[in-house]
Amino acid sequence: MSPVTNVTKAHHRVLILGGGTGGIITANLLRRAGQTDVAIVEPSERHFYQPLWTLVGAGAVDRTTTVRSEARYVPKGVRWIRERVAEIFPDQRCVRTESGLEIGYDFLVVAVGAQLNWNAIPGLEEGIRKGNVSSNYDYDLAPRTWELLRNFRGGTALFHMPGTPIKCPGAPQKIMYLAADYFRRKGLAGKTRIIYGSATATIYGAREYGAVLDRVVERYGIDARFNHELIEIRAEKNEAVFRLKGDGENQTVTIPYDILHAVPPQSAPDFIRRSPLADPRKPAEGWVEVDKFTLRHPAYPEVFALGDVAGSPNAKTGAAASRQAPVLAVNVLAAIEGKPPQSAYDGYIACPIVTGYGRMLLCELDYSGKPSPRIPGIDTFRERYDMWLLKKYGLPWLYWNVLLRGRKPPFLGPGPAFVPEQPREELAAR
Ligand code: FAD
């Protein structure tokens, strides 16, 4: 890592890296709380609502409904630096962008998401180029998944789940259930073999939801193969090579496929991974080390992280990022006033597992590892049609209009203190 050499060209009281889910919500919350010197570094002009990519891959929504202009969501009064961060120097409280701009900060919020390591599986990129491998983990590829499903006439449909932490760990199986439902409706079930090749040991971590999903797997006749780590795709032969974990350790198994939905292994972005902010206990993944409750870095108290890049032990989901943002904002505001953290993240995540067209199981967990249902009066321990409607229409609306704007959702339920808002007139006067 080369040292900081230039005189710092810019400086902000609070600097937010990444203007995705976590970054934009935090910026709006800090702005609403009256902070006047906040900047976001974000290279993309497009803001994506990634949770709908599952439904794009299943032909249930058009991909254009999942993207909006980033400019609409960067709050007024917050400086948007349209650059990509290349290096971070926490000892000097400074970052450097790819163009060489150096930006100093008093407080830093890291929200750059997860890096998709497409080349970590040899043959994955070639398979994608060849045409019968796809992935919902990319805006441009999700429609390809739908093309594969629509054109499938029977054979083996293989669905993959990698061994690294990934954003939305439920997504690899959601598209499999949708595909299974689609093939059944098209009368292809009899000539189709669906295989789930997963590096995990079970279908879902929490037993209560796992039991429901085991029944879904059985209903569709899916051949679920756990402890299978995908190590190579032989694109020219349409073969996927898995290394077995657990009992059959280090043996390999080759599975031929006609279509394959693959998920790239993930890590923190490289500039985080090689920085002093990365958790030294997991160097290959490199997530930002944070206290799991306060979201503050243990060695750099002016640094906070949230969302997929944070090393807190929750599933990486947009639900987690939006639940973490108010906690983080309260704690940044406290730090600005020289106070200790005032709010704690309880580990809440919501993972909406779509189990077919018109069916969804809402899995909600917190740090206890036990189900933590937050919607009053509804039995969320079964597949439901109303939850499908929530996924397809309700959550996207809530995301664009409430959460991203830094507003408190009506059913947040018991939880951490929300950010105190400044009166609008006071904000406007600044
Ligand atoms: P992101 O929203 O990904 O934002 C990261 C931002 O950082 C991006 O804007 C990026 O451009 C920017 N960035 C990256 N590198 C740099 C850099 N070097 N410098 C500056 N900026 C940078 N979540 C759910 O809760 N429910 C779901 O049903 C669900 N389904 C999903 C399905 C799929 C197929 C996928 C892909 C994701 C799904 N998610 C779901 C996960 C959810 O989208 C993420 O967890 C969420 O977006 C995380 O927010 P974030 O702010 O951490 O990262």
Side-chain angles (χ1 to χ4, degrees), residues 223-242:
D223 174 0
R225 304 199 187 172
F226 297 109
N227 293 314
H228 276 53
E229 178 86 61
L230 181 60
I231 55 167
E232 187 186 353
I233 294 171
R234 295 181 186 142
E236 75 293 350
K237 293 189 190 157
N238 291 339
E239 287 177 354
V241 183
F242 290 86

Side-chain angles (χ1 to χ4, degrees), residues 152-182:
F152 186 69
R153 298 286 173 263
T156 299
L158 176 59
F159 294 83
H160 155 245
M161 163 83 180
T164 64
I166 57 168
K167 48 179 155 183
C168 195
Q173 57 184 284
K174 298 178 200 178
I175 187 62
M176 173 171 71
Y177 302 138
L178 287 161
D181 192 8
Y182 179 71

Side-chain angles (χ1 to χ4, degrees), residues 146 148-154 179-189 191:
W146 175 230
L148 290 184
L149 301 188
R150 264 194 338 168
N151 295 325
F152 186 69
R153 298 286 173 263
D181 192 8
Y182 179 71
F183 298 153
R184 207 191 45 184
R185 287 165 194 250
K186 263 182 82 181
L188 290 172
K191 38 182 176 165

Side-chain angles (χ1 to χ4, degrees), residues 268-289:
D270 290 336
F271 80 95
I272 295 289
R273 206 167 13 167
R274 56 174 188 252
S275 83
L277 297 183
D279 188 338
R281 291 163 300 184
K282 293 184 183 167
E285 294 168 9
W287 312 111
V288 177
E289 189 178 7

Side-chain angles (χ1 to χ4, degrees), residues 20-22 42-43 50-51 84-85 112 168 174 271 307-308 317-319 391:
T21 303
E42 166 61 62
Q50 301 169 45
R84 180 173 290 278
V85 181
V112 287
C168 195
K174 298 178 200 178
F271 80 95
D308 297 344
T317 57
K391 165 91 184 162

Side-chain angles (χ1 to χ4, degrees), residues 3-10 89 94-96 99-103:
V4 177
T5 47
N6 299 341
V7 176
T8 300
K9 302 259 173 43
F89 306 94
C94 174
V95 306
R96 184 189 287 140
S99 77
L101 176 68
E102 287 174 2
I103 313 164

Side-chain angles (χ1 to χ4, degrees), residues 16-24 41-44 46-54 70 83-86 98 111-114 116 136-138 167-168 171 174 266 269 271 306-310 315-322 350-353 391 395 399:
I16 301 173
L17 309 185
T21 303
I24 286 289
V41 190
E42 166 61 62
S44 174
R46 297 183 297 174
H47 188 108
F48 298 104
Y49 180 63
Q50 301 169 45
L52 271 186
W53 291 352
T54 294
E70 175 81 357
E83 299 238 13
R84 180 173 290 278
V85 181
E98 280 180 350
V112 287
L116 305 177
N136 285 345
Y137 275 72
D138 180 86
K167 48 179 155 183
C168 195
K174 298 178 200 178
Q266 294 166 34
F271 80 95
L306 81 165
D308 297 344
V309 78
K316 298 184 182 303
T317 57
S322 44
C351 187
I353 305 229
K391 165 91 184 162
L395 292 175
Y399 183 76

